[in-house]
Amino acid sequence: MAQTKAARKTSQAGGSSNGRDAGARKGDALLGLKKDELHAMLYQMLLGRRFEEKSAEAYAIGKIGGFCHLYIGQEAVAVGSIMALRPEDYVITAYRDHVQAMVKGITPNAVMAELYGRVDGCAGGKGGSMHLYGAEQNFLGGWGIVGGQVPLAVGAGFAIKYREQDNVVLCYMGEAAVNQGAFHESLNMAALWKLPVIFIVENNRFGMGTAWERASSLYDISQKASAYDMPSAVADGMDVIDMRRVTQEAIDRARKDGTPTLIEARCYRFMGHSMSDPVHGVYRTKEEVEEQKQKDPITRFLELLKDNNQLTDEELKTMDAEIQKVCEEAAEFADNSPEPGLEDLYTHVYASEDVHGRLFFDRKNRLEQG
Amino acid sequence: MSTLTYREALNQALAEEMERDPDVFLMGEEVGLYNGAYKVSKGLLDRFGEKRIVDTPITELGFTGLGVGAAMLGLRPVIEFMTFNFSILAMDQVFNSAAKVHYMTAGKYKCPIVFRGPTGAALQLSAQHSQALESSYAHFPGLKIATPATPADAKGLLKAAIRDDDPVVIMEGELLYNMKGEVPDVEDHVVPLGVAEVKREGSDVSIITHGKMVHVALQAATALEKDGVNAEVLDLRSLRPLDVDAILATVQKTNRVVYVEEGWPYVGIGSQIVDTIQEEAFDYLDAPILRVTQADVPMPYAKMLERMAKPSAERVVAACNRVLYRQTV
């Protein structure tokens, strides 16, 4: 083994683009971003955190059902990368998708209503936590099969190239998806055909309860890119500025000539895999989680902003109060949104519902007859 | 009318639809430079170029998912499986992605994609290359399935599939590509999905079937005619949506049914047809419905075993005689 388990843990969060000096951005700690842009990033990170805290509460009292995968601890990844996009660019991800959806522009109300399974949800209550979608926001959704969304992202990249546009696709996946054949097949085609897809592996160390070093023969995910002759980078997924810098470089490459990039964002999930998985105890210790929390991406960003005179305590207080209100309102909105009617069971199976013959073996009229 | 082979009819459908709509593209293994493993795409690369006739690596899961993603952005991909035997590798993308895009997104996204290629047994290709997988595909709501039996239907159904806003699976008979038939010369020959066709009128017994087995059924009907039995052959053409009205009409006409399919009997298409008839036309039946299918085994290689495993006209004739209570054995 090239690294001991302890050494790997220590090196988990942190990193920089391959072949670059980690201190390269010292001279420009904020990437030249203006105050309002920085505040927008902070707002999205805090919104993600508070929204998920609210979701956890709602789940605990049974307002949210099914699987619910929280993003707490990983906010810097979604915010740093998606905020480097133009609105017309695309985002696709897996089932830990609440924060990506909101950063891409789906309202907290629509996301919360979807978690509640209500008609005003962004998938009409048919998707739930794992399947959020936004056609207007070019959010291609959350997908539930590990690695299954990766070929879809390449298809979006294919369509962009087909139409000779310069949009890009951000495709998120957990590190466990990297072991899937879908990942290999997709990166090969993206590199072969120069499709503008940026693959962001959110390496939060655990595929459900299995630590990365117990699941992969290769520890350094970014090295996988060499198998496809594709540029790659390691980003500090606990540092929203590093995340944004690395993603921006990849986006510029993709817009220029379609070059895809593989980014490994090293991060850590403060919560369990899903709501049914305890935070610690089975596959990781309390000490490990506490140690990682010292690198909380929101705290780090707050400190950075304050150190650079970009944020006052008063501004933070006002922002956080506003966000708390937004989350309360989202929960209230979801609560007040009606549940889908029985007639909705049969809608949207097919785009064309007026075809000849009968679409369903279990037919509507039988439902109506009760 | 023009006489075309089944593969030429498919080729015409692809060419016409690509000509009509710049969003249509064909993707698959060796569809371009090699002109297609079964030559369905012959000449299309020269005509439409590499942008729209795309040779892929041998990665069914990957390029199928690519097609689904492209369809979500509004393109109209036609994904060729070199054979449906290999589509098993891509089933996650067909079943979990394509079939569910419209429903899971509550209509926000459509998935106008076509998956096509040969299905069923050829000759002595053994267990992994001789599978009729219609029932697997038909199981999933969200997909539409068509199984053309003639060049005219091949052209018309493929054109309908490409224009359809839902994912459509076109399963072509592997042994039908060379078969010739009349194809209407009309400018736009489209066969709507979900409409069955009586391929032979009859009054004594209904042979209901689809795909390559239509020809087996027609052979059986010819043999039965010599014996004074007038069999009707109903070609379902689409398995989803299913033309239940056409099924009920033929049952009401002949009161006796034999179902023929190339796939396995267990949870096969025939199971659904039998259920539909017993529920909706039980009183019209004068005999139990019989099914003629592949033997419930992986396809053997040895010639005689393979012959025994596959449905044949002789077995269809025997089944018809049984439902007519004419069987002597």
Side-chain angles (χ1 to χ4, degrees), chain B residues 31-273:
Chain B
V31 296
L33 197 60
Y34 194 78
N35 277 316
Y38 291 87
K39 304 290 175 230
V40 168
S41 53
K42 191 174 177 185
L44 296 182
L45 177 65
D46 289 343
R47 198 161 153 191
F48 296 102
E50 285 184 349
K51 180 185 166 187
R52 299 180 66 196
I53 304 293
V54 187
D55 280 327
T56 66
I58 302 177
T59 54
E60 281 80 7
L61 170 63
F63 68 72
T64 301
L66 186 158
V68 175
M72 286 180 73
L73 265 65
L75 296 187
R76 306 186 85 87
V78 178
I79 300 295
E80 175 174 308
F81 293 125
M82 192 178 279
T83 101
F84 266 93
N85 294 286
F86 307 154
S87 78
I88 294 171
L89 289 149
M91 279 184 169
D92 176 56
Q93 289 301 333
V94 181
F95 296 164
N96 266 324
S97 300
K100 291 158 188 167
V101 164
H102 197 62
Y103 197 78
M104 283 206 309
T105 67
K108 282 191 161 69
Y109 284 101
K110 290 177 185 172
C111 190
I113 191 170
V114 175
F115 307 104
R116 52 153 293 271
T119 183
L123 293 170
Q124 286 195 277
L125 299 183
S126 190
Q128 293 184 330
H129 288 75
S130 305
Q131 304 179 92
L133 297 168
E134 288 93 318
S135 65
S136 301
Y137 282 90
H139 192 57
F140 283 79
L143 297 178
K144 295 176 180 174
I145 321 292
T147 53
T150 63
D153 288 348
K155 181 172 180 182
L157 286 167
L158 180 53
K159 283 170 73 85
I162 293 171
R163 294 177 192 189
D164 202 278
D165 278 340
D166 289 308
V168 183
V169 184
I170 301 279
M171 305 183 85
E172 303 152 7
E174 184 157 335
L175 286 176
L176 294 181
Y177 286 124
N178 278 331
M179 198 196 71
K180 286 183 179 166
E182 298 279 300
V183 179
D185 281 328
V186 294
E187 196 185 330
D188 206 16
H189 170 64
V190 176
V191 174
L193 297 166
V195 181
E197 184 179 61
V198 175
K199 287 286 199 275
R200 184 189 192 281
E201 293 272 357
S203 53
D204 298 334
V205 57
S206 299
I207 308 173
I208 304 177
T209 186
H210 67 270
K212 193 168 82 189
M213 289 301 113
V214 168
H215 304 286
V216 171
L218 289 170
Q219 273 175 39
T222 305
L224 285 163
E225 194 174 22
K226 290 178 187 144
D227 206 14
V229 174
N230 191 5
E232 176 148 300
V233 175
L234 179 68
D235 175 7
L236 295 175
R237 297 203 289 199
S238 296
L239 304 176
R240 232 190 218 267
L242 187 67
D243 191 345
V244 177
D245 294 340
I247 295 171
L248 299 181
T250 192
V251 175
Q252 287 167 12
K253 186 172 168 189
T254 69
N255 315 112
R256 295 165 200 273
V257 178
V258 169
Y259 190 77
V260 188
E261 72 183 301
E262 199 180 359
W264 292 295
Y266 196 80
V267 204
I269 298 289
S271 313
Q272 180 60 45
I273 303 299

